[in-house]
Amino acid sequence: MRRNEGTSVTEAVRTSAARRPGATANEFYDQLVAGLEAARAALPDDEATFFNRPMSDAELIEWLCFQAYYEKRAAEFIGRWLADTPEDDAFALLARQVRDEARHYQLLMRALDRRGVRSLDGWRPEPEWEEWIDHWYPSGADTLERVAAHNVTGEIGAAGAMVAVRPRLPADVAAAIDKILPDEQFHMRLGRTVLARYCVTDEARERVLYRAQRTFELEQAGRAAYNRRMARLGLTDLDAATPPLA
């Protein structure tokens, strides 16, 4: 059943902003995060629930491949941002994040290696993932737009997903996630820092809202594509009470 049908990130933020006109940059960030939480709460129950069972080996490998792909792409596109990041503070923070994302990729590939998967060469992402991760995340006119999409909207979603799925993971993969999650918290703090310092005009806030809303939409499309992929591979039933990824 859908709760608060039609709620969007932008609508939720504007509702919050109406209660606190003239918000500071930090307050705007809090409104944005609250808007994301409200939009997630408005998802259907089956889409708001992660895996409700231990993963099979085949399903786990698919999930690990997706996560490794996501982390590798993040290291690549954030690395490309650095040449076009004039803000010294953001440059230093993003440079650290590149290292983090590369380390996460290594941790996930080691988990795959223990399961006989040596590389992602034979694995192909879904078109929805390419639109979301390969094209949308790297885009953005400036540091503010890029960080609003990836570090604020994307990393909040990614960290929440990892926390939700962790109880269904085998011990070695859960241990890898435990090493990744503290870095995700740093990446989210990076997002807050950038918004607090540079999202100070109405025009900037409108751009951030657009980036957050579109990222949220692409994320949900990407998760739906994951569910369809699992069904196509015979690893889950889309008609089950709780699809595997939402």
Side-chain angles (χ1 to χ4, degrees):
M1 180 179 298
R2 184 176 291 276
R3 301 180 300 277
N4 303 323
E5 187 168 5
T7 298
S8 72
V9 176
T10 302
E11 290 168 348
V13 172
R14 292 196 195 288
T15 299
S16 178
R19 293 194 295 268
R20 289 192 294 175
T24 66
N26 273 313
E27 288 170 339
F28 173 76
Y29 174 88
D30 291 338
Q31 291 168 358
L32 179 56
V33 172
L36 288 164
E37 291 173 350
R40 291 187 194 286
L43 292 170
D45 290 339
D46 57 356
E47 292 183 14
T49 303
F50 241 92
F51 300 79
N52 66 342
R53 63 193 183 284
M55 295 187 206
S56 67
D57 289 343
E59 191 175 356
L60 176 62
I61 286 171
E62 278 294 319
W63 184 80
L64 284 168
C65 285
F66 170 78
Q67 295 296 331
Y69 153 76
Y70 190 109
E71 300 286 356
K72 187 173 190 289
R73 288 293 188 268
E76 292 170 347
F77 64 68
I78 296 170
R80 291 194 296 270
W81 291 350
L82 295 178
D84 188 31
T85 302
E87 306 89 351
D88 286 345
D89 51 354
F91 178 89
L93 293 169
L94 289 168
R96 172 179 165 181
Q97 186 173 353
V98 173
R99 181 199 64 182
D100 292 344
E101 307 290 11
R103 175 173 166 268
H104 301 169
Y105 168 71
Q106 287 183 317
L107 288 168
L108 294 162
M109 289 306 300
R110 288 171 190 158
L112 281 166
D113 185 71
R114 289 191 291 272
R115 290 160 176 85
V117 178
R118 307 290 183 253
S119 77
L120 299 180
D121 289 348
W123 184 89
R124 292 291 178 268
E126 296 294 315
E128 292 87 348
W129 303 346
E130 292 177 317
E131 181 182 3
W132 168 30
I133 297 164
D134 295 351
H135 301 297
W136 175 251
Y137 273 152
S139 69
D142 56 17
T143 304
L144 186 61
E145 288 191 5
R146 297 165 192 153
V147 166
H150 186 256
N151 287 70
V152 179
T153 314
E155 294 289 58
I156 288 174
M162 288 181 183
V163 170
V165 77
R166 188 190 178 285
R168 282 79 179 183
L169 299 172
D172 69 309
V173 180
I177 295 302
D178 289 344
K179 294 177 181 178
I180 291 171
L181 280 171
D183 293 338
E184 301 296 344
Q185 294 296 323
F186 164 71
H187 303 162
M188 288 185 277
R189 291 195 301 273
L190 189 164
R192 182 179 192 119
T193 296
V194 169
L195 263 64
R197 293 179 183 173
Y198 302 107
C199 191
V200 295
T201 67
D202 289 342
E203 182 271 339
R205 292 178 184 185
E206 287 299 320
R207 291 192 291 120
V208 164
L209 281 176
Y210 169 72
R211 292 286 292 181
Q213 178 63 42
R214 184 58 181 150
T215 302
F216 183 79
E217 293 166 355
L218 290 171
E219 175 187 297
Q220 297 312 308
R223 292 181 174 195
Y226 181 95
N227 289 341
R228 291 194 298 271
R229 184 185 182 107
M230 293 301 100
R232 188 172 69 247
L233 294 173
L235 300 177
T236 191
D237 179 2
L238 280 179
D239 294 326
T242 52
L245 181 59

